């Protein structure tokens, strides 16, 4: 054994404790740390010929890279939809690495049973019936990709061909309909060989991001009975708007289509009795995407793909090899997802659900929603700002009351970023340059919201 590696092995316990000190320092600083640090990119260093050992690597990390990390796990980072990581989720993720199980299939480990158990809990939490089976993937992009891959196989089934065997050309032209699709849906269509052009954007309700069911019906009617794919959205990026899933699903009585629902963050509305109505009808989907590294607050690299058609999923993702065996009635995960060897992503989710339960996660979701409402009120107390949509769930989308040009919005965002009090991102809504922020972190308090509002108001007041 390499002598440095051998020494690290002998001191593994002490070195883990040293790593813990780094972790502790980071966690303890999160509430006060700047939301974003000035990004510094250290000069490249040569690949170490002889290593420095773990202690040396920890030093180098602390010196070179850690100072440039953002506080995206902290309470005032509102960019994109950025979840934090609950204490139990961090512990679960840590143990995932320590135990390093391969959740591909039957490697004589309880890992796969744990994943099945966890996806069943998540289905229950989201109000999906037990006919849905779930598998963990890396994120919502991958979950959308897997859902649409199953949809592609379903289109083949309707036409009497197997896309998995014959290839996508056997399908001919495919139509995918959606009101306000997330960009990852286009990416998924590109990866699947269906093409970005297969997506037809359906008009939305007036001044909304939710699809207009009448317009959707007209699009389906125009297909003359040809089966299609509908991507419904439960939580849009700008305004966290929801398609009327019940109305969309009802159209299947008249038209043949696969219903995929992108509920990346919006699915978690289901945990709150006050907001659960937003996902009424989710249960009628054929496939559902949810992200866990957003509103479940587990570390990155975690989403789930649910479907009612595990048979079609197996047809797409089956990995034929004598040593892997036949998928059978309860296929191993390597026959259900793009990966073969897989990290046990379910463990972090299992930890946080076990530690905090439905009530704990409901409290996070409802506190984040209250934070968004409070921020909306504080910002619009200034006549210089206005909301571009009523606060949707946990998202605030606002702009300058006067002259909201892209340059002026950029200036506000720059000065907010310089204050390091919070991090917000630009967008366009109703063709107006705007700013959006989404609350999705378990640490955020009312005091944080007040600091965020003060920083934004200051930045707006500083505009000449
Ligand atoms: C974030 C998001 C995605 C993509 O998720 P990743 O985890 O970043 O791959 C897809 N759809 C919606 C609605 C999202 O909010």
């Amino acid at each position: 054994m390499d002598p440095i590696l051998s020494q690290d092995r002998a001191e593994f316990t002490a070195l883990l404790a040293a790593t813990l000190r780094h972790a502790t320092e980071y966690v303890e600083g999160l509430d006060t740390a700047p939301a974003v640090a000035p990004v510094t990119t250290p000069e490249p260093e040569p690949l170490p010929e002889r290593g420095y050992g773990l202690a040396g690597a920890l030093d180098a990390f602390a010196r070179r890279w850690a100072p440039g990390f953002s506080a995206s796990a902290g309470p005032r980072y509102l960019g994109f939809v950025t979840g934090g990581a609950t204490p139990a989720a961090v512990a679960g993720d840590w143990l995932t690495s320590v135990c390093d199980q391969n959740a591909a299939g039957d490697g004589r480990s309880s890992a796969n049973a744990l994943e099945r158990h966890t996806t069943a809990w998540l289905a229950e939490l989201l109000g999906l019936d037990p006919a849905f089976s779930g598998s963990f993937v890396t994120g919502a992009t991958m979950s959308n990709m897997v859902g649409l891959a199953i949809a592609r196989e379903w289109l083949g089934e309707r036409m009497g061909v197997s896309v998995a065997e014959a290839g996508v050309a056997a399908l001919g032209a495919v139509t995918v309909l959606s009101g306000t699709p997330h960009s990852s849906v286009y990416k998924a269509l590109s990866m699947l060989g269906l093409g970005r052009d297969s997506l037809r954007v359906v008009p939305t309700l007036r001044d909304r991001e939710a699809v207009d069911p009448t317009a959707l019906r007209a699009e389906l009617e125009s297909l003359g009975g040809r089966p299609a794919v509908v991507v419904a959205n439960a939580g849009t990026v700008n305004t966290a708007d929801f398609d009327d899933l019940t109305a969309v699903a009802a159209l299947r009585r008249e038209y043949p289509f696969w219903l995929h629902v992108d509920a990346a963050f919006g699915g978690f509305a289901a945990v709150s009795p006050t907001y659960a109505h937003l996902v009424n009808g989710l249960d009628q989907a054929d496939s559902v995407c949810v992200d866990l590294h957003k509103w479940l607050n587990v570390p990155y690299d975690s989403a789930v793909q649910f479907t009612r058609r595990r048979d079609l999923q197996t047809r797409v993702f089956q990995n034929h090899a004598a040593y892997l065996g036949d998928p059978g009635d309860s296929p191993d995960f390597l026959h259900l997802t793009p990966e073969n060897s897989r990290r046990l992503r379910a463990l972090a989710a299992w930890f946080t659900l076990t530690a905090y339960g439905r009530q704990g996660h409901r409290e996070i979701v409802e506190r984040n929603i209250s934070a968004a409402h409070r921020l909306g009120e504080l910002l619009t107390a200034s006549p210089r700002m206005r909301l571009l949509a009523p606060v949707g769930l946990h998202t605030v989308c606002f702009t300058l009351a006067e002259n909201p040009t892209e340059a002026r919005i950029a200036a506000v965002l720059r000065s907010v970023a310089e204050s390091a009090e919070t991090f917000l991102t630009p967008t366009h809504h109703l063709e107006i340059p705007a700013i959006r922020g989404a609350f999705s972190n378990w640490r955020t308090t009312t005091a944080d919201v007040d600091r965020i509002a003060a920083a934004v108001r200051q930045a707006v007041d500083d505009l000449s």
Side-chain angles (χ1 to χ4, degrees), residues 22-388:
H22 280 260
T24 311
E25 210 173 286
Y26 184 78
V27 164
E28 286 176 353
L30 263 182
D31 285 333
T32 49
V36 278
V39 177
T40 50
T41 309
E43 285 299 308
E45 276 186 348
L47 168 72
E49 196 47 48
R50 264 176 66 85
Y52 301 104
L54 175 50
L58 280 170
D59 282 348
F61 167 71
R63 197 166 24 83
R64 287 170 61 75
W65 302 105
F69 279 11
S70 70
S72 55
R76 291 182 306 283
Y77 187 99
L78 307 190
F80 320 104
V81 179
T82 303
T86 63
V90 169
D93 198 69
W94 205 337
L95 290 172
T96 305
S97 295
V98 171
C99 305
D100 201 19
Q101 302 292 289
N102 187 348
D106 187 12
R108 296 289 179 266
S109 161
S110 62
N112 293 282
L114 185 144
E115 180 161 339
R116 290 204 178 88
H117 190 78
T118 308
T119 56
W121 273 358
L122 286 162
E124 189 185 331
L125 192 74
L126 298 168
L128 299 176
D129 78 51
F132 279 94
S133 67
S135 10
F136 273 78
V137 290
T138 50
T141 300
M142 226 38 193
S143 176
N144 279 330
M145 211 273 283
V146 172
L148 292 170
I150 306 168
R152 187 182 65 176
E153 200 63 22
W154 176 84
L155 290 171
E157 184 181 66
R158 301 282 305 198
M159 294 166 63
V161 295
S162 167
V163 179
E165 305 305 326
V168 74
L171 280 183
V174 166
T175 303
V176 181
L177 300 168
S178 188
T180 309
H182 187 267
S183 55
S184 62
V185 170
Y186 290 95
K187 179 168 170 169
L189 294 172
S190 163
M191 290 193 281
L192 289 166
L194 296 171
R196 298 173 200 265
D197 289 350
S198 64
L199 200 142
R200 231 188 260 173
V201 174
V202 181
T204 54
L205 297 170
R206 198 187 143 85
D207 292 348
R208 295 267 308 271
E209 290 185 305
V211 76
D212 176 354
T214 310
L216 179 59
R217 166 196 286 269
E219 288 286 356
L220 289 163
E221 178 69 29
S222 77
L223 297 176
R226 206 155 47 82
V229 178
V230 171
V231 176
N233 301 295
T236 55
V237 170
N238 277 338
T239 62
D241 207 348
F242 287 74
D243 289 353
D244 180 341
L245 300 177
T246 306
V248 172
L251 291 169
R252 279 194 306 193
R253 288 201 286 269
E254 297 164 74
Y255 307 99
F257 62 90
W258 178 272
L259 178 56
H260 174 77
V261 181
D262 181 351
F265 61 84
F268 287 94
V271 307
S272 165
T274 316
Y275 297 95
H277 66 275
L278 294 169
V279 286
N280 279 351
L282 183 64
D283 195 39
Q284 294 173 57
D286 298 298
S287 53
V288 175
C289 152
V290 282
D291 231 341
L292 306 188
H293 55 217
K294 288 179 180 165
W295 230 355
L296 193 70
N297 276 250
V298 302
Y300 275 111
D301 208 49
S302 189
V304 172
Q305 198 289 314
F306 287 104
T307 184
R308 292 173 175 279
R309 291 296 307 271
R310 197 168 61 182
D311 58 324
L312 294 179
Q313 185 174 7
T314 313
R315 228 191 270 168
V316 179
F317 293 102
Q318 181 169 0
N319 193 353
H320 297 274
Y323 76 97
L324 296 173
D326 185 83
D329 291 338
S330 182
D332 286 339
F333 287 105
L334 71 95
H335 297 304
L336 295 171
T337 56
E339 303 86 3
N340 191 57
S341 299
R342 307 162 70 241
R343 176 178 176 80
L344 181 56
R345 298 189 178 89
L347 193 56
W350 180 89
F351 258 89
T352 198
L353 290 171
T354 301
Y356 312 118
R358 194 195 292 270
Q359 286 305 327
H361 281 280
R362 171 184 167 183
E363 192 277 332
I364 295 170
V365 163
E366 291 182 342
R367 179 156 40 88
N368 286 163
I369 295 172
S370 306
H373 283 275
R374 182 177 178 87
L375 182 63
E377 282 158 23
L378 292 173
L379 294 181
T380 51
S382 154
R384 303 195 65 186
M385 282 175 275
R386 68 183 180 94
L387 296 180
L388 272 184

